[in-house]
Amino acid sequence: LFENITAQTFLTMQEHIRDVLTAHEPRANIIDVVVSETFNQHEIQVSIVFTIVNLQEPVTLEIILERVR
């Protein structure tokens, strides 16, 4: 998006997303956060898998982050 992306950048983004969700959304139990680059390399795909407290079924949320000019 704004810099050359490395594997460390993806790991840092995953950690930050997990930390923010844990701190600010107590109703969600985070199962997995996956950050990956899309085919055109100008977007980042974020997949968050979580369960809602008192519900068993996992929910997957997929978000595309893209640079806005």
Side-chain angles (χ1 to χ4, degrees):
L1 293 173
F2 302 105
E3 62 183 49
N4 292 333
I5 296 187
T6 64
Q8 183 61 42
T9 306
F10 287 131
L11 290 174
T12 302
M13 289 178 73
Q14 286 175 318
E15 290 172 7
H16 284 290
I17 291 168
R18 185 181 294 274
D19 291 345
V20 167
L21 290 172
T22 301
H24 297 287
E25 189 47 82
R27 298 168 292 181
N29 297 318
I30 307 304
I31 297 171
D32 195 18
V33 176
V34 177
V35 177
S36 59
E37 199 167 19
T38 60
F39 294 112
N40 67 11
Q41 299 180 0
H42 296 291
E43 299 174 338
I44 294 176
Q45 181 174 2
V46 179
S47 295
I48 303 167
V49 181
F50 62 96
T51 58
I52 299 173
V53 174
N54 296 328
L55 296 177
Q56 297 289 331
E57 186 176 333
V59 177
T60 301
L61 174 65
E62 293 191 11
I63 302 169
I64 301 289
L65 304 176
E66 58 184 276
R67 182 178 180 182
V68 177
R69 296 180 189 193

